[in-house]
């Protein structure tokens, strides 16, 4: 049974930093492509990808809105992935979700699709005030 636990969200001032963590377990096969998504407040909002990590090539990619400010990483031994966020802006306010099992084709293309397991955690909330 897949389990995901995101943590590290908080309320911060603009310009601040946060480190999100995602501990995961229960995957039958380890994935070569991992990602972070976020869903901003408001009705009808969907999750959008912000960071991806191609484990096999040790390469990363980011949405334009966060590039240069966010860093995705993982600790394979701990089954944990991270999202380091700096220079936070009010537009970064969202619930953040991890996806340790994206399709490797997403990493090849620099895109974000729903995780292969279709499993999502509860997310962790980030609020950035101006």
């Amino acid at each position: 049974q897949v389990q995901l636990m995101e943590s590290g969200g908080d309320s911060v001032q603009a310009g601040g930093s946060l480190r999100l963590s995602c501990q995961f377990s229960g995957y039958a096969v380890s994935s070569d492509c991992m990602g972070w998504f976020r869903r901003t407040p408001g009705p009808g909002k969907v999750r959008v990808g912000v960071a991806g990590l191609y484990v096999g090539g040790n390469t990363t990619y980011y949405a334009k809105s966060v590039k240069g400010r966010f860093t995705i990483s993982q600790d394979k031994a701990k089954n944990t992935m991270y999202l380091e966020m700096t220079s936070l802006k009010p537009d970064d306010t969202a619930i953040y979700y991890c996806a340790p099992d994206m399709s490797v084709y997403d990493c090849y293309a620099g895109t974000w699709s729903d995780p292969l397991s279709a499993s999502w955690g509860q997310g962790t909330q980030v609020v950035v005030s101006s």
Side-chain angles (χ1 to χ4, degrees):
Q1 181 181 354
V2 169
Q3 291 189 324
L4 293 162
M5 178 66 72
E6 298 97 342
S7 62
D10 204 347
S11 295
V12 297
Q13 295 276 337
S17 301
L18 284 173
R19 188 195 199 201
L20 306 184
S21 299
C22 167
Q23 192 157 24
F24 55 90
S25 63
Y27 292 94
V29 179
S30 60
S31 173
D32 228 12
C33 187
M34 299 177 161
W36 281 94
F37 293 69
R38 68 186 181 188
R39 180 164 60 195
T40 53
K45 293 301 180 91
V46 298
R47 276 181 282 250
V48 295
V50 294
L53 168 64
Y54 175 37
V55 177
N58 197 27
T59 56
T60 58
Y61 58 100
Y62 301 91
K64 286 181 182 177
S65 58
V66 307
K67 194 170 185 177
R69 301 187 297 119
F70 288 13
T71 304
I72 183 173
S73 63
Q74 65 141 359
D75 185 331
K76 194 170 184 179
K78 294 182 179 178
N79 275 1
T80 302
M81 52 190 291
Y82 304 97
L83 186 66
E84 197 82 39
M85 306 189 296
T86 63
S87 302
L88 283 162
K89 305 175 181 180
D91 285 348
D92 296 319
T93 294
I95 299 175
Y96 285 75
Y97 302 86
C98 63
D101 62 328
M102 291 201 307
S103 166
V104 69
Y105 295 106
D106 275 311
C107 276
Y108 292 161
T111 56
W112 292 267
S113 301
D114 282 355
L116 296 172
S117 65
S119 296
W120 294 100
Q122 294 295 311
T124 186
Q125 181 148 17
V126 173
V127 177
V128 185
S129 56
S130 55

